[in-house]
Amino acid sequence: MAKKAVATLHEGSSDGRAYTKVIKMAKNPKNGAYYFDERMVPNEAVKDFFKE
């Protein structure tokens, strides 16, 4: 089943490869605990994601 999900990301032109999964560790201002901010962003917006 996992192979089918991966295959659907690569179908078509390059739409599936135009996105990158990024993970950033951030600190919660309320209680000070760390959490992971995980998103799928376009390849052009990866640097902007980490500047935030």
Side-chain angles (χ1 to χ4, degrees):
M1 191 149 211
K3 288 183 180 180
K4 189 173 186 179
V6 171
T8 57
L9 289 175
H10 297 293
E11 274 184 6
S13 58
S14 63
D15 293 338
R17 296 181 187 184
Y19 287 88
T20 304
K21 183 178 186 177
V22 292
I23 302 170
K24 177 173 59 171
M25 192 168 74
K27 192 172 186 178
N28 188 343
K30 290 184 180 179
N31 59 9
Y34 286 96
Y35 66 96
F36 293 98
D37 187 11
E38 187 173 327
R39 296 184 201 170
M40 292 290 288
V41 297
N43 291 340
E44 297 83 24
V46 171
K47 289 185 180 180
D48 295 334
F49 174 77
F50 287 112
K51 284 183 183 178
E52 292 177 359

